[in-house]
Amino acid sequence: MARRTRRASATALLTAGVVAATLLAACTDATAPSTPAATSSIAPSVAGDGSSTTTGTTSPGPTWPSARATQEENARPGDPSWGDGLAEPPSKQVEGFAGRASVTPGQPVSLYVRSSAGPVVVKAYRVGWYAGAGARLVWTSPPLSAVSQPAPVLEPATRTWSASGWTPSSSLPTADWPPGDYVLKLQATSGVANLVPLTVRATSVRDAVVLVNGNTTWHAYNHWGGTSLYRGATGFADRAYAVSLDRPIDYGFGTGDFFGNEAPLGRLAEKLGLPVAYVTNTDLHADPSLLDGARAVISLGHDEYYSQAMWDALVRARDQQGTNLAFLGANAMYRHIRLGPTPIGPDRLETDYKDAGLDPMTATHPAEATSQWRQPPMPRPESVVTGVYYQCNPVKADMVVAQPDAWLLAGTGLKPGDRLASLVGSEYDQVTPSVPTPRPIEVLFHSPVTCTGHHQFSDAAYYTTASGAGVFASGTSSWICGLVLECTFHQPDQRLVDTVTTVTTTLLKAFAAGPAGKDHPARDNLDRLGITTATIRDMTK
């Protein structure tokens, strides 16, 4: 798999993750696809010595999460130069990682930086709408000189590469950082730069639309050092059985799938002024009460790797408090993982053998064996949560309208049989009645596809539950790509972008209001569409 090195504009950055994810799909095995803090009233400025300063007075900001907080934050001036100096694949001259995947405002976080290009300045950008600028500069460091680091270490038993022996180069002061998705730009005096992702989460997500950063999936595909959960030096056979979060990410400008599969949705939610909150997969794992009071949880474009605790968090929120769920990708919740500690911190070692027969845990704790969720020793297919079932990749096909009067399609002007060109792929999901499937379930788009010579369908579907929760699944890995005109998976098509944006806006606004199933119960249409065990089969068997 080759990636093209190039300088990147902010616009290109927004689609880079989609390009990377599409390429990564080709590397997979045969069974798979790939209390609220105060905020400063003004933006920080950089003093002559490079240190971060703030002029004027500081006043408490609005409570996060809230619509007012989102709106006031995005009214601040953005910085469209935030993507300057970056290249894909990321530079190896300057690279780093954060000692925590996420923090609450005021929590310090160690930053580990290695540079062969001299001292490094770190700029922290909060990613959002900002009138189209895409990010706002929140903090700038003085030049960091502690940037020489030892070589990474390999754990032979699991083929795990780790940089946990690196020394922290800086401790980031996050007290005045409003919650959100951040990229830490590491830039040497030569101009070469790289990014490190960091999530700043609110202390509560009550009444929020929660966007989940898929960091366990980012790291599963990360080949830094020499192995990922997909390949080693020769291919799948010598892949890692566990990967460490204690290392830089070697794709997506150092941020994995963030820019292509996540950032466009966050930018839209903030443009709409919704009460948004941000968390990571590892936060879902660590805190069973994390989603208490959440209005909705949004799984983004590539959200494949789930632990039991992550799975339980979504089910509990859906069933006990009517929290809406949306899966805006395909192949979500497919891989069963375990999380463990590293020398740097908890939940930073991600284990996935992809084969229960290889996993030592199978003999003693079979429920934690890391096969696919749908496979023995204890099959639990993702469809019981998502409503849809991963089938195959790669495909590229039109998305075809099946239920134009569905509430989610209001305002689109779509008619039966209308097509959204090339919106399905490279991975797709299908409503598959032969596996556990929630009912009632309403299929909005029922799109013919051909994968490995087999004729099937990709389904975008919506189901509702007794708790009032509404659950939507797009059935395609390129849904979020469809929000971006410059996305390389589909041809530039303003009608497609307008349609996907309209449907997503309707979804986000309704889900932000509370249990969507109360006002919008699903209307089961499987019989009308001929979706039965006789017509639809599981291609993965």
Side-chain angles (χ1 to χ4, degrees), residues 352-367:
D352 179 23
Y353 284 81
K354 292 186 168 62
D355 183 339
L358 297 174
D359 191 343
M361 189 70 76
T362 302
T364 56
H365 296 87

Side-chain angles (χ1 to χ4, degrees), residues 68-89:
R68 179 189 166 199
T70 303
Q71 293 160 10
E72 290 191 8
E73 171 61 29
N74 280 271
R76 292 181 165 194
D79 182 352
S81 70
W82 59 274
D84 291 353
L86 300 171
E88 181 64 14

Side-chain angles (χ1 to χ4, degrees), residues 55-404:
T55 58
T57 60
T58 301
S59 59
T63 298
W64 285 87
S66 67
R68 179 189 166 199
T70 303
Q71 293 160 10
E72 290 191 8
E73 171 61 29
N74 280 271
R76 292 181 165 194
D79 182 352
S81 70
W82 59 274
D84 291 353
L86 300 171
E88 181 64 14
S91 170
K92 294 183 179 180
Q93 296 181 58
V94 179
E95 55 188 355
F97 64 93
R100 297 173 185 260
S102 72
V103 293
T104 54
Q107 260 188 319
V109 57
S110 295
L111 181 65
Y112 300 78
V113 178
R114 189 201 69 81
S115 171
S116 60
V120 171
V121 171
V122 181
K123 294 184 177 181
Y125 290 92
R126 185 186 182 279
V127 178
W129 173 239
Y130 301 109
R136 178 174 77 85
L137 178 62
V138 173
W139 177 81
T140 301
S141 77
L144 307 180
S145 56
V147 291
S148 295
Q149 303 288 3
V153 175
L154 176 68
E155 169 52 58
T158 55
R159 308 186 191 105
T160 304
W161 285 97
S162 171
S164 59
W166 286 12
T167 300
S169 304
S170 180
S171 180
L172 307 181
T174 64
D176 292 328
W177 297 16
D181 283 337
Y182 283 74
V183 289
L184 309 173
K185 185 176 182 179
L186 318 179
Q187 191 153 29
T189 53
S190 65
V192 65
N194 211 335
L195 299 178
V196 173
L198 178 69
T199 302
V200 178
R201 66 186 191 278
T203 55
S204 168
V205 300
R206 185 165 298 280
D207 297 329
V209 175
V210 181
L211 308 187
V212 182
N213 296 133
N215 66 324
T216 55
T217 299
W218 305 344
H219 288 281
Y221 286 85
N222 182 18
H223 196 257
W224 189 93
T227 58
S228 70
L229 290 179
Y230 289 88
R231 61 187 177 96
T234 64
F236 186 71
D238 63 347
R239 70 193 182 279
Y241 296 144
V243 290
S244 175
L245 276 63
D246 301 347
R247 56 180 183 151
I249 298 175
D250 73 345
Y251 69 102
F253 305 94
T255 69
D257 282 330
F258 172 70
F259 278 109
N261 282 319
E262 302 187 13
L265 192 283
R267 294 175 74 240
L268 175 61
E270 297 211 352
K271 182 181 181 181
L272 295 172
L274 298 176
V276 291
Y278 297 86
V279 303
T280 66
N281 287 149
T282 46
D283 294 323
L284 285 182
H285 175 88
D287 184 358
S289 63
L290 180 71
L291 298 179
D292 286 0
R295 297 283 181 90
V297 178
I298 312 298
S299 162
L300 298 166
H302 198 190
D303 194 18
E304 184 177 351
Y305 284 77
Y306 266 66
S307 69
Q308 182 70 64
M310 293 161 58
W311 179 294
D312 291 344
L314 293 191
V315 172
R316 185 183 305 112
R318 179 195 65 182
D319 294 348
Q320 296 184 9
Q321 59 189 31
T323 299
N324 304 305
L325 307 177
F327 298 91
L328 301 185
N331 191 231
M333 303 180 73
Y334 182 76
R335 303 285 193 182
H336 188 176
I337 61 171
R338 296 192 300 272
L339 293 176
T342 70
I344 287 180
D347 303 329
R348 295 184 64 82
L349 184 68
E350 178 179 344
T351 298
D352 179 23
Y353 284 81
K354 292 186 168 62
D355 183 339
L358 297 174
D359 191 343
M361 189 70 76
T362 302
T364 56
H365 296 87
E368 284 291 355
T370 57
S371 55
Q372 285 54 261
W373 277 102
R374 61 181 62 179
Q375 293 178 342
M378 297 184 66
R380 289 154 288 175
E382 73 276 10
S383 56
V384 301
V385 184
T386 65
V388 294
Y389 190 79
Y390 168 70
Q391 289 287 347
C392 187
N393 88 87
V395 300
K396 190 169 188 177
D398 296 349
M399 183 170 275
V400 180
V401 176
Q403 193 70 44

Side-chain angles (χ1 to χ4, degrees), residues 404-430:
D405 63 345
W407 69 273
L408 276 166
L409 304 191
T412 63
L414 292 173
K415 302 181 297 299
D418 279 357
R419 294 173 175 265
L420 301 176
S422 300
L423 190 57
V424 174
S426 60
E427 297 168 344
Y428 75 93
D429 298 333
Q430 178 178 265

Side-chain angles (χ1 to χ4, degrees), residues 433-445:
S434 60
V435 301
T437 301
R439 306 289 286 267
I441 188 165
E442 184 174 1
V443 173
L444 282 63
F445 296 90

